[in-house]
Amino acid sequence: MLDISKIETNFEEICLRLKTRQKDYTKELQNIVNLNFERKNIISKVENLKSQKNIISKEVGLLTRENNNSEKLKKEVLKINKEVEILDENLKKIIEQLNLKLSFIPNIPNKEMPIGVNENDNLEIKKWNSDKLKKDSEAHWDIAIKLKLVDFELGAKLSGSRYVVYTGLGAKLIRSITDILLSRHIKKGYKEMWLPLIVNKENMYGSGQLPKFEEDAYKIDNQYLIPTSEVSLVNTVRDKIYESNNLPIYLTAFSQCFRKEAGSAGRDTKGLIRLHQFNKVELVKITDKNSSYDELEKMLEDAEQCLQIFNLPYRVVELCTGDVGFSSEKTYDLEVWFPNQNKYREISSCSNCGDFQARRIKTRYKNENGKLEFVHTLNGSGLAIDRLFAAILENYYDGEKLILPEVLKEYFENKEYIR
């Protein structure tokens, strides 16, 4: 959530920067400023009335019961109480409107972020092993079926389209990949968490999924299946105040994730790229405001190293203003090579959300002067496991068998391949 005082102080600049997200938020921001003016006006009136009430109450205390002015002043107090009650009710409604309108405004893009319309305008930062790209492999879903690693038909039978069943060695591959990723992150200082898959509405709101993306979420009564364990990890620090020397905090978790993929009709209907239920290892950092961008670079390195240990070619792109996520002020996408499509596909996004989420979850820290400030939150995939599984199939299948990456061999009794 944006800071209203910053909106008021830097109104034109914020309007211009948000407009680079391919929507003009000027009208919405002006409504927010107007509502905030009403809020402050009501607060001022309430304070004045309470001040009058205090003065009158003191006067009542000085008067005797026989004095007619005493009753008159008491009626004045009752009148003021009624006015305050009405103003408090109006204030409550205005604050609700204000928070609702603010909840639909995305984070302000970083000043250095590339300006663009969509993914075609993202800025390529670097490539790794791009001179060793395999071309024109079989599709990962065909390989998975041939090697009996994934049962797509059973997934559809059990749950519907875009659900899969990993079978036999396929299930073992998923479990092994998960262990490799988690073990690596733990060695890098991340604290492993095992979290609920169902969260309350306030937690979805806290991480920025609600109300903007409600149509993409699976809902059970008044709770939600998590679209990413970022939701749970970020909210583990809700309502807390930290000493600056206890930051940064590194957290990681494996979870199954659930998304309706409402806006992706017709896209990636085959295979493991876009599932309704998928597997992911998530990274979250809680930092002070001064170190968050350095920590973003470190998080990107952590995600990159995961692909390097599987020896998979990838590239890093910085997202442009028109492609960046709702809560983020800067994002790197890590894209792994898919030979069948002859293109790189996203396997991780590493984002700095600044204090955007922290304002929603009310998490602060004491700076070096003892003043309370909102923490900064970062999140990244480390990695999307189903996509990693698919990339391994396409990059390591030789037409007859799946050659195992070196890091996986110990999980399969040092076998060289799966056939």
Side-chain angles (χ1 to χ4, degrees):
M1 183 178 291
L2 298 183
D3 181 355
I4 300 175
S5 62
K6 285 185 180 179
I7 295 174
E8 291 176 326
T9 306
N10 308 285
F11 186 81
E12 289 186 6
E13 181 190 350
I14 289 174
C15 286
L16 285 171
R17 285 169 63 184
L18 284 176
K19 196 173 183 179
T20 64
R21 282 180 170 268
Q22 304 311 305
K23 179 181 174 180
D24 190 348
Y25 288 91
T26 304
K27 184 178 178 181
E28 289 92 334
L29 290 172
Q30 188 60 62
N31 287 337
I32 287 168
V33 170
N34 292 343
L35 278 172
N36 198 43
F37 178 79
E38 287 185 53
R39 180 188 69 85
K40 290 188 283 190
N41 193 35
I42 290 175
I43 290 172
S44 178
K45 286 180 180 179
V46 169
E47 287 174 350
N48 286 334
L49 286 169
K50 287 182 177 179
S51 177
Q52 290 178 40
K53 178 184 170 181
N54 288 337
I55 293 170
I56 294 170
S57 296
K58 287 178 182 178
E59 290 181 15
V60 170
L62 295 173
L63 296 172
T64 62
R65 289 185 180 180
E66 291 77 17
N67 194 317
N68 290 332
N69 285 333
S70 176
E71 289 303 315
K72 182 181 176 182
L73 292 173
K74 285 179 180 178
K75 286 179 182 179
E76 281 292 318
V77 169
L78 291 174
K79 182 183 175 184
I80 289 173
N81 286 341
K82 187 64 178 176
E83 287 182 47
V84 169
E85 186 180 330
I86 293 169
L87 286 171
D88 281 343
E89 189 61 33
N90 290 338
L91 180 63
K92 182 180 176 182
K93 290 177 182 177
I94 285 174
I95 290 173
E96 286 175 357
Q97 290 180 54
L98 190 57
N99 287 335
L100 179 61
K101 289 184 182 296
L102 273 170
S103 68
F104 282 95
I105 306 296
N107 204 348
I108 303 166
N110 178 284
K111 286 183 179 180
E112 285 75 40
M113 188 183 294
I115 295 174
V117 177
N118 54 38
E119 62 184 16
N120 296 321
D121 297 317
N122 292 340
L123 179 65
E124 184 176 282
I125 303 298
K126 62 179 173 179
K127 290 181 177 178
W128 189 81
N129 265 6
S130 60
D131 58 333
K132 299 176 183 178
L133 297 181
K134 182 181 179 182
K135 300 288 183 71
D136 303 316
S137 169
E138 290 186 55
H140 66 267
W141 55 85
D142 289 330
I143 300 168
I145 292 169
K146 282 182 181 180
L147 298 179
K148 298 180 180 179
L149 302 176
V150 182
D151 193 328
F152 293 95
E153 291 184 2
L154 183 55
K157 181 180 178 181
L158 292 174
S159 302
S161 63
R162 300 198 184 190
Y163 291 89
V164 301
V165 173
Y166 292 96
T167 63
L169 293 179
K172 186 173 182 178
L173 271 170
I174 290 292
R175 178 162 48 87
S176 304
I177 290 168
T178 302
D179 184 58
I180 290 167
L181 296 175
L182 280 174
S183 297
R184 186 163 189 82
H185 296 316
I186 291 166
K187 286 179 182 176
K188 295 299 288 286
Y190 290 85
K191 179 181 179 181
E192 183 182 2
M193 309 285 279
W194 192 269
L195 302 158
L197 299 180
I198 297 175
V199 294
N200 298 327
K201 183 176 182 178
E202 57 264 34
N203 295 298
M204 289 283 280
Y205 172 82
S207 57
Q209 269 70 33
L210 293 183
K212 180 76 172 176
F213 304 107
E214 182 150 15
E215 68 170 10
D216 214 26
Y218 284 99
K219 191 174 182 180
I220 304 172
D221 296 326
N222 292 318
Q223 296 174 303
Y224 296 83
L225 288 168
I226 60 169
T228 164
S229 56
E230 171 201 343
V231 176
S232 312
L233 288 171
V234 165
N235 280 281
T236 60
V237 300
R238 168 187 289 277
D239 295 322
K240 291 188 177 181
I241 296 174
Y242 290 96
E243 298 292 337
S244 59
N245 59 4
N246 290 330
L247 299 176
I249 296 169
Y250 289 14
L251 302 172
T252 187
F254 161 76
S255 74
Q256 293 179 316
C257 309
F258 304 85
R259 293 181 193 171
K260 288 183 179 178
E261 295 287 356
S264 62
R267 296 174 61 195
D268 298 310
T269 53
K270 276 191 169 185
L272 304 169
I273 300 297
R274 205 173 298 277
L275 302 173
H276 290 311
Q277 176 182 324
F278 55 97
N279 304 285
K280 186 152 68 84
V281 172
E282 187 72 9
L283 307 173
V284 161
K285 291 185 178 184
I286 313 299
T287 76
D288 61 39
K289 69 176 185 179
N290 297 318
S291 64
S292 63
Y293 277 97
D294 289 337
E295 291 295 341
L296 177 62
E297 299 298 324
K298 292 178 184 177
M299 178 179 280
L300 176 62
E301 287 180 16
D302 293 337
E304 283 187 71
Q305 288 172 9
C306 291
L307 286 177
Q308 290 171 11
I309 60 175
F310 286 97
N311 200 28
L312 290 168
Y314 66 86
R315 71 171 187 163
V316 177
V317 297
E318 182 180 351
L319 299 196
C320 70
T321 53
D323 196 34
V324 73
F326 181 81
S327 299
S328 174
E329 61 182 36
K330 180 174 181 175
T331 296
Y332 292 114
D333 266 9
L334 193 56
E335 299 178 347
V336 67
W337 179 252
F338 275 86
N340 177 256
Q341 299 176 38
N342 286 323
K343 67 184 293 188
Y344 293 97
R345 298 297 303 267
E346 178 198 338
I347 195 167
S348 173
S349 282
C350 296
S351 301
N352 185 354
C353 298
D355 63 7
F356 188 82
Q357 292 175 325
R359 290 181 177 277
R360 290 182 173 222
I361 62 175
K362 298 179 176 62
T363 304
R364 296 168 293 172
Y365 72 100
K366 293 179 184 176
N367 66 17
E368 60 276 8
N369 298 318
K371 181 182 175 182
L372 287 177
E373 297 192 67
F374 286 101
V375 299
H376 282 198
T377 61
L378 295 82
N379 66 80
S381 305
L383 300 161
I385 293 170
D386 305 88
R387 293 190 179 195
L388 179 55
F389 181 98
I392 290 170
L393 293 190
E394 291 196 11
N395 283 278
Y396 280 90
Y397 185 64
D398 69 359
E400 294 183 0
K401 56 188 180 296
L402 177 68
I403 308 301
L404 287 170
E406 197 65 38
V407 71
L408 275 169
K409 289 179 181 177
E410 64 179 283
Y411 289 84
F412 289 81
E413 298 173 348
N414 292 314
K415 289 182 180 178
E416 296 292 323
Y417 58 84
I418 293 173
R419 193 171 187 174

